[in-house]
Amino acid sequence: MKESYNWIFGQLPYAEPFLFVEEILNINDKGVEGAYQFSSDADFYKGHFKNNPVTPGVILTECCAQIGLVCLGIYLLGEKTILENIGIGMSSSEMEFLLPVFPGERVKVVSELVYFRFQKLKCEVKMYNEDDKLVCKGILAGMIGVANE
């Protein structure tokens, strides 16, 4: 029986149209795998590129960060942690883009923990398309701490 990770979705600080996590396939103390399907009618496709829309690299990076950093960070903090006063922010990114992602495509993000200490989470992320081809890869880091009240 597959474990439910629905509690993580309730803690995510995102909502449509800026939520890029649909499914958590697997998660543990060493990493996370999740998936997202880009809606073919997303607003950013209207202007990127006019007659041949492609998912912008910044959106691919955001998808990797939401699945690979934020979902993993929430999991590592634990189900009983209340995140109402927690601030989450990306502190660094280094991404390499290898293939385009077109409207309507489903991607899978695989994230491996590099370290989590002193409120900083660092991960190696990879995104794959439906043909299991590597779309992009990189190193992302973020901070998790108590937000100002």
Side-chain angles (χ1 to χ4, degrees):
M1 182 175 175
K2 188 174 179 180
E3 184 178 345
S4 173
Y5 306 114
N6 289 338
W7 66 272
I8 295 172
F9 286 94
Q11 301 284 17
L12 287 171
Y14 312 104
E16 292 291 339
F18 208 75
L19 175 64
F20 300 108
V21 184
E22 278 181 340
E23 184 178 10
I24 297 173
L25 304 167
N26 188 29
I27 194 166
N28 58 46
D29 290 346
K30 296 179 181 173
V32 61
E33 289 184 26
Y36 182 76
Q37 182 163 355
F38 288 96
S39 172
S40 57
D41 63 352
D43 276 348
F44 52 78
Y45 288 126
K46 294 175 186 170
H48 191 270
F49 296 94
K50 287 193 278 188
N51 297 316
N52 189 22
V54 176
T55 309
V58 68
I59 299 294
L60 299 178
T61 301
E62 182 65 26
C63 181
C64 287
Q66 287 187 18
I67 294 171
L69 274 181
V70 181
C71 288
L72 181 59
I74 290 169
Y75 176 83
L76 292 172
L77 289 173
E79 188 170 356
K80 300 208 183 315
T81 303
I82 298 171
L83 296 181
E84 290 174 2
N85 292 323
I86 299 286
I88 298 172
M90 190 158 54
S91 59
S92 67
S93 66
E94 181 180 325
M95 295 293 289
E96 181 180 358
F97 303 98
L98 306 167
L99 292 174
V101 173
F102 298 105
E105 277 196 77
R106 180 176 166 87
V107 295
K108 178 175 76 171
V109 174
V110 178
S111 175
E112 293 182 24
L113 177 71
V114 175
Y115 64 77
F116 183 41
R117 60 179 177 265
F118 304 115
Q119 298 181 327
K120 186 166 184 174
L121 176 61
K122 187 173 186 178
C123 298
E124 180 180 327
V125 295
K126 294 179 181 173
M127 178 183 281
Y128 298 91
N129 64 19
E130 291 174 289
D131 295 328
D132 209 29
K133 292 184 179 173
L134 187 61
V135 169
C136 61
K137 62 181 180 173
I139 303 288
L140 300 176
M143 300 295 293
I144 299 175
V146 177
N148 294 334
E149 294 185 36

